[in-house]
Amino acid sequence: SQALPWGSTVLIVTSREVEGLLSSIVGMRKRGLLIVLALTSPGGSYELTARRAAQIGAQAVRIESEQGLDVWR
């Protein structure tokens, strides 16, 4: 993300929140990047991760199935 210009959007796709993810997002936000965090696991941790992401200025979306990708098409 170092080479992306200010205002670029970064899409992060992951099945769950891992150590260091939110701190990496904070760094990208400080550089002026917009972050969309797509969580692909139907597990119950989505709400907690979405709240944490919102607190640092990132948008979280849940994609639980292939049909959930229709919104991106």
Side-chain angles (χ1 to χ4, degrees):
S1 69
Q2 297 287 350
L4 294 174
W6 184 91
S8 295
T9 299
V10 175
L11 173 62
I12 300 170
V13 180
T14 184
S15 62
R16 60 186 171 84
E17 182 182 335
V18 295
E19 185 176 335
L21 176 63
L22 295 179
S23 62
S24 294
I25 291 173
V26 168
M28 289 186 271
R29 291 289 298 137
K30 286 181 179 179
R31 289 194 302 278
L33 301 175
L34 304 173
I35 310 299
V36 177
L37 179 60
L39 296 162
T40 60
S41 177
S45 65
Y46 169 79
E47 287 79 15
L48 177 59
T49 300
R51 278 195 306 272
R52 289 178 178 166
Q55 289 173 345
I56 58 174
Q59 178 186 359
V61 296
R62 177 188 276 177
I63 301 173
E64 295 182 291
S65 66
E66 189 171 338
Q67 290 79 19
L69 295 172
D70 289 343
V71 70
W72 299 96
R73 293 182 188 161

